[in-house]
Amino acid sequence: MARTYLLTSESVAEGHPDKIADQISDAVLDAFLTEDPHARVACETLVHDDLIVIAGQFAAVPGLVERVERDADSIAREVLREIGYCDAETGIDPETCQVITRFSEQSSDISRGVSQAGDVIGAGDQGLMFGYATDETDELMPVGIATAQRISLVQAVLRKAGLQPWLGPDAKSQVTVRYEDGVPTSIDTVVLSTQHTPEISRQDLEQAAIDEIIMSSVPLRLVGPHTRYLINPTGRFVIGGPKADTGLTGRKIIVDTYGGACPHGGGAFSGKDPTKVDRSAAYMARHLAKTVVAAGLAHRCTVQLAYAIGVAVPVSLSVDCHGTGEVDENAIGRALRELFDLSPAGIIAHLDLRRPIYRLTAACGHFGLESESFTWERTDQAADLVEMLR
């Protein structure tokens, strides 16, 4: 008997308060890496009403911490402008909002664990990280989160192009997918809550949201007569952004990853340089899982990595193909360890992570986007993995 279940995944637009915070933190990170690729950054941002607070611990070449702290005010305001906020009524005014900064040097206790002899880099923290891939979409992502992220992206494109001028920067999407024996068979429900100008009628908003945003984002093969569309269920969403809700860096970790389709280690990504394995090892775990699926070794794959602070070699690597694998999972794990250097230094070098690319990751998910900057999405070593397992 087929097992049927529903899986719901959520995305938020770049104008959501938590995503504003993520983008500011990653813009600060990029500012450091532009001048010092070896800078260590742990940056957190809070946004609320007309207030932005940026704080963190940093290690960089002399004078850079002070210089970026002076520039952080203009960095935050530029992020708001690029998102599309223009006045306090729509969420926050980039010209008049208050920006508070508090930067300090990285803890010497953390620094000594990361800085080791020669080119060895110890893990910047302990923890466990998960990567996931599935062949249910071309980008090897779960269809629910891939669709929800696409809705958020289309909403932003239409808004910024002026094609739907009633759209506001803040929005959330949610997609519920029906599965039968692990295979997506239909989309059950799509929810879109989007900020809007007050003059548009509810009927016009619903129709435009379905026709222009949702139907250009969902895989039509999964849409049927029973698919439900819930548009702005509260009936009104004029006040948005930091005026409506507080935002914090790192509060959308499931949105950032796989929409709940696999476990999550708990560590957030944004505002962290690649010595922090919360970020770099999660990217590598995605790279490994995607390589396994792209190689045809499984239909689905979860990879878990775990590290101890100050230790370069991962304490564990496990592979779970969820019963869809063509090869023994332990053998896949051994081959992955042999094929890839999973130390922090090895991950940074293999994925070329010392570049100022991180603002790009902070808006519509860290995985599934085909971009030269997103090196963890490559599958160029899939054939090598197959060869090793022969």
Side-chain angles (χ1 to χ4, degrees):
M1 184 176 179
R3 177 179 175 246
T4 300
Y5 61 93
L6 300 175
L7 177 64
T8 300
S9 299
E10 179 194 36
S11 174
V12 297
E14 60 181 350
H16 185 281
D18 292 329
K19 281 289 126 190
I20 296 173
D22 284 345
Q23 289 170 87
I24 292 173
S25 292
D26 273 338
V28 170
L29 170 61
D30 284 348
F32 273 97
L33 295 179
T34 297
E35 294 197 42
D36 180 5
H38 293 271
R40 296 182 196 154
V41 176
C43 182
E44 311 291 343
T45 302
L46 176 147
V47 298
H48 173 67
D49 199 7
D50 64 347
L51 173 66
I52 298 175
V53 179
I54 310 171
Q57 291 189 319
F58 310 89
V61 296
L64 185 56
V65 174
E66 295 79 9
R67 200 154 62 246
V68 175
E69 183 171 15
R70 288 195 299 271
D71 292 342
D73 182 290
S74 59
I75 289 171
R77 296 181 196 278
E78 185 58 28
V79 168
L80 294 177
R81 293 187 198 102
E82 290 180 3
I83 290 171
Y85 284 108
C86 56
D87 56 54
E89 293 305 311
T90 58
I92 190 169
D93 190 329
E95 312 306 325
T96 62
C97 66
Q98 181 184 13
V99 180
I100 298 173
T101 61
R102 185 63 58 86
F103 287 15
S104 62
E105 293 291 329
Q106 184 181 57
S107 160
S108 58
D109 289 345
I110 294 176
S111 180
R112 71 194 298 267
V114 177
S115 304
Q116 299 185 13
D119 294 328
V120 176
I121 298 174
D125 201 352
Q126 71 178 46
L128 52 149
M129 303 84 206
F130 290 90
Y132 183 73
T134 171
D135 62 6
E136 55 192 71
T137 63
D138 291 341
E139 57 266 49
L140 303 187
M141 287 287 286
V143 68
I145 187 64
T147 303
Q149 300 284 28
R150 197 173 301 118
I151 289 171
S152 295
L153 183 60
V154 170
Q155 192 267 5
V157 169
L158 293 177
R159 172 176 58 83
K160 290 183 172 181
L163 298 176
Q164 296 293 345
W166 52 270
L167 287 169
D170 196 354
K172 301 176 77 171
S173 59
Q174 187 172 286
V175 177
T176 300
V177 179
R178 183 176 300 276
Y179 283 79
E180 293 184 10
D181 284 344
V183 177
T185 58
S186 64
I187 292 178
D188 183 85
T189 306
V190 180
V191 182
L192 174 59
S193 296
T194 179
Q195 188 182 9
H196 59 88
T197 56
E199 66 272 8
I200 188 168
S201 71
R202 182 173 176 82
Q203 181 178 358
D204 288 344
L205 185 152
E206 288 185 358
Q207 197 63 53
I210 294 172
D211 293 345
E212 303 297 328
I213 300 175
I214 293 174
M215 297 312 294
S216 62
S217 304
V218 298
L220 297 180
R221 62 183 175 82
L222 297 180
V223 174
H226 300 295
T227 301
R228 296 187 302 160
Y229 305 98
L230 303 177
I231 312 300
N232 284 17
T234 65
R236 180 179 170 87
F237 189 178
V238 173
I239 301 171
K243 192 176 184 67
D245 195 8
T246 301
L248 291 170
T249 299
R251 203 158 60 174
K252 287 291 178 285
I253 56 177
I254 301 301
V255 169
D256 284 342
T257 54
Y258 308 100
C262 78
H264 194 289
F269 302 154
S270 289
K272 298 178 180 178
D273 75 87
T275 67
K276 313 288 192 298
V277 285
D278 276 347
R279 181 170 218 159
S280 55
Y283 289 177
M284 192 64 179
R286 161 66 174 171
H287 185 53
L288 300 182
K290 192 172 183 183
T291 298
V292 170
V293 174
L297 300 174
H299 295 289
R300 292 190 289 144
C301 180
T302 299
V303 171
Q304 185 204 62
L305 293 169
Y307 292 81
I309 188 167
V311 179
V313 180
V315 298
S316 68
L317 178 152
S318 66
V319 176
D320 183 358
C321 294
H322 307 279
T324 70
E326 300 293 330
V327 179
D328 177 69
E329 292 161 339
N330 292 325
I332 294 174
R334 289 192 295 269
L336 291 174
R337 276 187 178 270
E338 185 176 344
L339 186 59
F340 297 97
D341 181 350
L342 300 179
S343 68
I347 292 171
I348 291 169
H350 181 72
L351 298 180
D352 194 13
L353 295 179
R354 293 198 184 278
R355 299 166 296 140
I357 59 170
Y358 296 101
R359 168 80 195 280
L360 294 173
T361 69
C364 283
H366 295 247
F367 307 117
L369 297 178
E370 297 297 333
S371 166
E372 291 184 5
S373 297
F374 288 36
T375 51
W376 47 93
E377 293 296 315
R378 296 183 316 211
T379 57
D380 50 314
Q381 290 184 270
D384 297 334
L385 182 59
V386 172
E387 185 65 27
M388 290 182 68
L389 290 165
R390 283 182 177 172

